[in-house]
Amino acid sequence: MIQEVKEKLPWVYNYNKKRAKQRFAPQSTFKIANALIELQTGAVKDEYDFKYWDGVKRESDNWNKDHTLVSA
């Protein structure tokens, strides 16, 4: 779904109306925005900068390790 809001008469383009009416959890869609924010604010140096696991065991084994922007 694409929405133009800057024009006098805003419009919406909906490619797949049936799917657009279904609710989905955002899940990994926030990874892109968060990665850009981290890079822009200097929270990470580059895509190879490590974020170290805090040692707290979580439900997914993949989360229980150190990560870079690439591996996250």
Side-chain angles (χ1 to χ4, degrees), residues 20-63:
K21 291 180 181 182
Q22 289 181 294
R23 289 181 169 230
F24 294 93
Q27 298 175 0
S28 292
T29 56
F30 284 107
K31 287 183 180 180
I32 297 166
N34 286 337
L36 292 173
I37 291 166
E38 289 176 353
L39 287 165
Q40 189 172 30
T41 61
V44 295
K45 183 174 55 176
D46 56 27
E47 68 271 27
Y48 304 109
D49 192 10
F50 271 93
K51 291 297 176 189
Y52 297 100
W53 179 45
D54 60 5
V56 176
K57 185 81 170 153
R58 294 186 173 80
E59 61 189 64
S60 175
D61 288 337
N62 192 41
W63 298 343

Side-chain angles (χ1 to χ4, degrees), residues 1 14-26:
M1 182 177 283
N14 192 334
Y15 173 74
N16 187 336
K17 289 183 183 183
K18 183 179 176 184
R19 189 164 196 264
K21 291 180 181 182
Q22 289 181 294
R23 289 181 169 230
F24 294 93

